[in-house]
Amino acid sequence: MPIATVNPTTGRTLLSFDALDAAGVERCLALAARTAATYRRTSFAERSALLERAADLLEAEAEDVARTMTVEMGKPLAAARAEAAKCVKAMRWYAARAESLLADEHPTDADVRDAGASAVRVRYRPLGVVLAVMPWNFPLWQVVRFAAPALMAGNVGLLKHSSNVPQTALYLGDLFQRAGFPQGCFQTLLIGSGPVEGILRDPRVAAATLTGSEPAGRAVASVAGDEVKKTVLELGGSDPYIVMPSADIARAARTAVTARVQNNGQSCIAAKRFIVHTDVYEEFARLFTDGMRALTVGDPMEESTDVGPLATESGRADVEELVDDAVRHGATVLCGGRRPPGRPDGWFYEPTVLADVTPQMRVDLEETFGPVATLYRVDSLDEAVERANRTPFGLSSNVWTREDSDLERFVAELEAGGIFVNGMTASHPALPFGGVKRSGYGRELSGHGIREFCNITTVWEAAEQG
């Protein structure tokens, strides 16, 4: 895949970039290793001041950055602005809290005595150089939610970003440098997927984090496992959105529209499978379909646009294949199901609702990375849980109910890294983020996220001998 900005609204290539050669990669690795040896000794106060400066720069440049993201991957401009603001928030959150999140831990006096020590503490120390392999769908946020905690923990980062968002990738490397971080603390590597294995096998790289597809996660995890290196993986999702009879159906349907088409439907944590109790199925299906049909598909630079193009031509082709396969096997198209008429350029696809979905259809188990929703009718809570868990993924989930007994069952039995009740899934710096099953492992954000790339070190001091 060429390293280039290709505007998905028009399909035109705007800028192309040469990939970093082997000598350039070596220079970056050597610099990262040298910087890691000294940066780990900086204080939390020093790191905090640097990250606050990066947040200030990003906040001042947010409009330009948002426009770059929209040009490169097609998200509506309003969503791009919100993404930039979210990154500023996360930087400041970690700048303010990292020291307390990584403070030494002390066992009880009784446990210290029982361990035969005069003192014991647990210290969190940085691992060193961390390779981040990041996707295009949230090209700023996905990187910052790794970089902010990793840098505050004393690690340094190497970014291999998706090849279709090179300008955003270069901006991120430049941002941390202009903020005053030591040279080599955070470097963008303009490379394709080929050199990733060699970089990950390099002994100067301590660990890796990847957000992306399941095949990409398998590849990175396989190499890291062979090298016995720590990884955090955030992969695909096919999140259930369960609506029970006690729910506020009108609000659930309105929220469902946003939950499905956020980021043009290209979000791992977007709700994708809408599992609705038969008692309220007809009402929900009508309101939800009306809401999806009413969305404005168009130029993402226009303020009135709700849904822009898909980021890549191949991505739209994947969505079309899944929908066409479902229709061939008997699915009912309640709205959408085609490219919008009158838009010959760009990679647009109409917001789509499919009903009568069966296990014979690929869309029943595969992740649909576009504005396509599948509707399921269930007769009971037991069936809702079974349907929700009948997927290889387990990233997040959404539950709409006002019954405490329903909620306790869902919390106990849903196989997901998150359960959002009477609302849609969202990420926040204070909340751990990640999944189970084929959605990956490890956690980002919160205290859990900053500790993922730390050496959790036990310090034991002998008791004095009488």
Side-chain angles (χ1 to χ4, degrees):
M1 183 177 183
I3 300 174
T5 297
V6 182
N7 188 339
T9 303
T10 64
R12 297 189 183 95
T13 300
L14 303 181
L15 284 172
S16 296
F17 298 82
D18 292 330
L20 198 63
D21 62 14
V25 170
E26 169 56 29
R27 286 193 296 271
C28 291
L29 280 167
L31 176 58
R34 289 196 303 271
T35 303
T38 55
Y39 180 68
R40 66 186 297 119
R41 303 191 194 109
T42 58
S43 68
F44 283 108
E46 290 173 296
R47 298 172 203 165
S48 177
L50 292 169
L51 193 58
E52 286 283 5
R53 175 60 179 155
D56 290 342
L57 289 170
L58 177 54
E59 187 171 48
E61 298 159 0
E63 182 65 21
D64 288 342
V65 176
R67 289 182 175 276
T68 298
M69 287 191 284
T70 295
V71 166
E72 289 202 303
M73 59 73 54
K75 67 172 73 242
L77 185 56
R81 291 180 182 129
E83 182 172 339
K86 189 174 186 177
C87 291
V88 171
K89 181 178 183 177
M91 289 177 177
R92 291 183 174 148
W93 193 90
Y94 275 109
R97 294 169 175 81
E99 185 171 10
S100 62
L101 292 172
L102 297 180
D104 287 358
E105 296 178 6
H106 300 273
T108 65
D109 290 343
D111 284 334
V112 170
R113 289 193 299 272
D114 194 51
S118 62
V120 176
R121 63 188 185 276
V122 177
R123 174 156 293 182
Y124 294 95
R125 298 186 293 160
L127 290 181
V129 180
V130 182
L131 172 66
V133 182
M134 293 289 114
W136 47 260
N137 57 335
F138 292 95
L140 204 69
W141 169 241
Q142 304 278 18
V143 178
V144 167
R145 77 182 189 191
F146 150 73
L151 290 169
M152 283 304 302
N155 295 297
V156 304
L158 292 172
L159 170 63
K160 186 273 182 254
H161 217 324
S162 184
S163 293
N164 63 323
V165 290
Q167 293 185 74
T168 306
L170 290 170
Y171 172 81
L172 283 157
D174 182 62
L175 173 69
F176 292 113
Q177 185 170 336
R178 287 187 292 121
F181 281 91
Q183 188 178 18
C185 255
F186 189 92
Q187 300 177 80
T188 291
L189 310 181
L190 284 189
I191 56 174
S193 58
V196 169
E197 179 175 346
I199 295 170
L200 186 50
R201 290 190 184 279
D202 191 289
R204 292 167 291 188
V205 173
T209 180
L210 177 142
T211 299
S213 67
E214 184 183 341
R218 287 178 181 274
V220 166
S222 176
V223 174
D226 192 47
E227 296 292 336
V228 197
K229 293 182 179 181
K230 174 71 178 290
T231 54
V232 170
L233 302 181
E234 194 266 279
L235 308 179
S238 189
D239 291 3
Y241 189 102
I242 302 170
V243 182
M244 297 299 288
S246 63
D248 180 334
I249 303 305
R251 191 161 69 90
R254 286 195 305 272
T255 305
V257 173
T258 304
R260 184 63 201 96
V261 302
Q262 58 175 307
N263 207 44
N264 304 337
Q266 301 164 123
S267 171
C268 296
I269 57 170
K272 299 181 177 78
R273 297 175 299 129
F274 296 82
I275 300 165
V276 186
H277 194 281
T278 190
D279 291 353
V280 292
Y281 178 89
E282 297 297 339
E283 181 184 3
F284 178 88
R286 174 178 57 80
L287 293 172
F288 179 50
T289 302
D290 287 347
M292 292 283 279
R293 189 184 291 117
L295 294 169
T296 299
V297 178
D299 185 341
M301 287 292 188
E302 298 291 337
E303 300 290 349
S304 60
T305 293
D306 299 308
V307 179
L310 298 187
T312 64
E313 189 172 16
S314 61
R316 182 176 65 177
D318 291 343
V319 169
E320 289 178 321
E321 287 179 12
L322 288 174
V323 172
D324 292 347
D325 172 79
V327 172
R328 281 196 303 272
H329 287 87
T332 302
V333 179
L334 300 184
C335 71
R338 61 176 185 170
R339 302 180 185 185
R343 285 200 168 273
D345 299 322
W347 302 314
F348 294 90
Y349 197 78
E350 289 186 343
T352 299
V353 179
L354 299 176
D356 305 312
V357 175
T358 66
Q360 289 71 40
M361 303 169 190
R362 290 173 54 198
V363 75
D364 185 56
L365 286 180
E366 296 182 31
E367 180 181 23
T368 309
F369 223 54
V372 176
T374 53
L375 268 176
Y376 298 87
R377 184 196 298 262
V378 294
D379 294 324
S380 66
L381 186 148
D382 288 340
E383 189 180 355
V385 170
E386 188 278 331
R387 168 64 67 179
N389 290 339
R390 200 174 75 189
T391 172
F393 301 107
L395 192 52
S396 190
S397 60
N398 307 261
V399 173
W400 287 76
T401 181
R402 294 184 228 185
E403 296 288 342
D404 290 342
S405 58
D406 288 356
L407 178 56
E408 288 309 308
R409 281 282 308 280
F410 288 128
V411 170
E413 298 182 27
L414 287 179
E415 297 168 351
I419 300 171
F420 285 71
V421 183
N422 297 328
M424 61 179 274
T425 298
S427 55
H428 183 280
L431 307 180
F433 182 90
V436 295
K437 301 196 289 189
R438 292 188 182 178
S439 288
Y441 51 75
R443 289 297 180 266
E444 297 177 290
L445 303 175
S446 76
H448 297 278
I450 197 171
R451 297 182 195 112
E452 285 283 4
F453 296 115
C454 287
N455 176 356
I456 304 172
T457 308
T458 298
V459 181
W460 181 96
E461 299 179 34
E464 293 185 9
Q465 300 298 312

